[in-house]
Amino acid sequence: MNVLDIVLINPIINLLVAFYQGLTFLHVPFALGFSIILMTVFIRLLMAPLTAGQIKMSKKMQEMSPHLKKIREKHKGNMQRQQQETMALYQKHGVNPAAGCLPGIVQIVVLAFGVYPALLKLLDHTKQAKETLDVINAAVYFPFLHLDKPWDTMFFGFPLQKTPADLLPTIGFIVFLIPVLTGAFQLIQSKMMMPVEDKTKPVVQQQKPSQEDMMMNIQKQFLYLIPLMVGFFSYTFSVGLSLYWNTFTVFGIIQQYRIQGGWGSLSEWVKYIPGKKN
């Protein structure tokens, strides 16, 4: 057993099994699927302070963007002066860009090295149900969490251990709803995180695009590229992993809405929703 199993993977397995045993005791149908949802929400709540700090820091950086642009224009060609003025601006507004990276790193570690491998272990479609049962019971800490029989992996007609690609021949094209919804939720969250464009500013034609324009173009490309990649991955990963990812993303959308006070730049696409709450 490696360090990741002890520190991250096994605790997450125990958390999922605890939710499953509780829902099974209450005779809740589709207990495994709802356990994945509850586990995801629980982990999201634990990381909520980190995520909130990251969102607030990102919002501050967006608000400071016009000031940073003025500094670059005023001290064009003098990188040292630009850096000095930028640091002074950060100190004045209490902004630490490096501090916004740490929460993201913590989240990536937990998700990539904890939740993801834990679900892969528990929803491995190449294993027999008895093998998965042995993996679960070997990982749980307390005897009362032991499963006496393999768990039911069905969730509203979808086997959680199967991939949409596996299910296409038997269920049909309805399985494409899974990657489409996964990509759509990711697109909504990504759009909300982008800065709102100021439509009141006149468009100035430039012979050479500025560094800020180039960064904005790259950001716009990633706005569509990342949801497409996530949607594709969800087609090749198990339905249970997509259920976890969609729950994680929807929770993130709600948190983003509450912290930034509205739908952000998503209102540029959907005109009848406000960019900020009234």
Side-chain angles (χ1 to χ4, degrees):
M1 185 179 295
N2 59 41
V3 175
L4 286 177
D5 284 326
I6 297 172
V7 176
L8 286 175
I9 297 175
N10 284 352
I12 290 171
I13 290 176
N14 277 264
L15 180 63
L16 179 62
V17 173
F19 280 124
Y20 175 79
Q21 292 285 40
L23 293 178
T24 302
F25 177 77
L26 296 173
H27 302 287
V28 176
F30 312 120
L32 180 56
F34 285 116
S35 298
I36 293 174
I37 293 173
L38 289 175
M39 179 202 68
T40 307
V41 171
F42 182 82
I43 293 174
R44 262 294 201 176
L45 288 172
L46 286 180
M47 295 194 299
L50 293 176
T51 308
Q54 188 179 22
I55 294 173
K56 289 176 181 177
M57 188 63 65
S58 177
K59 186 179 178 182
K60 278 188 177 182
M61 291 295 293
Q62 290 178 15
E63 292 171 349
M64 291 173 58
S65 181
H67 302 288
L68 294 171
K69 187 175 182 180
K70 288 180 180 178
I71 290 174
R72 287 193 294 267
E73 292 174 351
K74 183 178 179 180
H75 304 288
K76 192 175 182 180
N78 189 341
M79 292 299 298
Q80 184 177 0
R81 188 61 185 275
Q82 285 185 30
Q83 292 174 0
Q84 291 174 351
E85 293 291 332
T86 299
M87 292 305 298
L89 183 66
Y90 286 160
Q91 291 177 358
K92 180 181 178 181
H93 292 273
V95 173
N96 183 359
C101 300
L102 181 60
I105 294 172
V106 172
Q107 291 177 70
I108 290 172
V109 169
V110 172
L111 301 178
F113 299 102
V115 178
Y116 177 72
L119 288 177
L120 279 182
K121 269 189 175 184
L122 302 180
L123 299 172
D124 188 349
H125 69 283
T126 64
K127 289 182 179 179
Q128 299 294 324
K130 180 63 170 61
E131 292 180 84
T132 304
L133 182 65
D134 293 338
V135 170
I136 295 169
N137 287 337
V140 296
Y141 300 140
F142 308 106
F144 66 85
L145 289 179
H146 282 198
L147 302 182
D148 54 3
K149 62 180 180 179
W151 50 22
D152 183 8
T153 60
M154 295 301 291
F155 188 69
F156 292 102
F158 292 94
L160 293 170
Q161 80 278 19
K162 297 290 185 180
T163 69
D166 295 331
L167 297 174
L168 182 59
T170 55
I171 295 182
F173 288 100
I174 193 173
V175 298
F176 284 112
L177 281 174
I178 297 171
V180 167
L181 285 174
T182 304
F185 288 140
Q186 186 65 49
L187 180 62
I188 290 171
Q189 186 179 33
S190 298
K191 181 61 176 174
M192 288 177 66
M193 294 172 67
M194 290 189 67
V196 180
E197 295 183 16
D198 189 353
K199 303 294 185 181
T200 62
K201 289 185 177 180
V203 178
V204 179
Q205 295 293 334
Q206 299 180 3
Q207 292 182 349
K208 185 179 179 181
S210 65
Q211 184 178 4
E212 185 178 0
D213 293 332
M214 292 174 64
M215 291 299 295
M216 182 61 69
N217 289 332
I218 293 173
Q219 193 175 16
K220 286 180 179 179
Q221 291 174 8
F222 275 99
L223 171 66
Y224 300 103
L225 180 60
I226 292 178
L228 284 174
M229 291 174 59
V230 170
F232 173 76
F233 290 148
S234 71
Y235 181 72
T236 59
F237 289 163
S238 68
V239 175
L241 279 169
S242 295
L243 179 62
Y244 147 74
W245 187 259
N246 286 338
T247 306
F248 190 86
T249 306
V250 170
F251 191 99
I253 291 171
I254 295 171
Q255 188 177 25
Q256 183 89 16
Y257 175 83
R258 290 178 61 86
I259 291 174
Q260 71 182 15
W263 294 100
S265 61
L266 185 65
S267 59
E268 297 172 356
W269 287 354
V270 188
K271 300 300 181 183
Y272 59 83
I273 63 173
K276 293 193 176 208
K277 291 186 286 188
N278 296 327

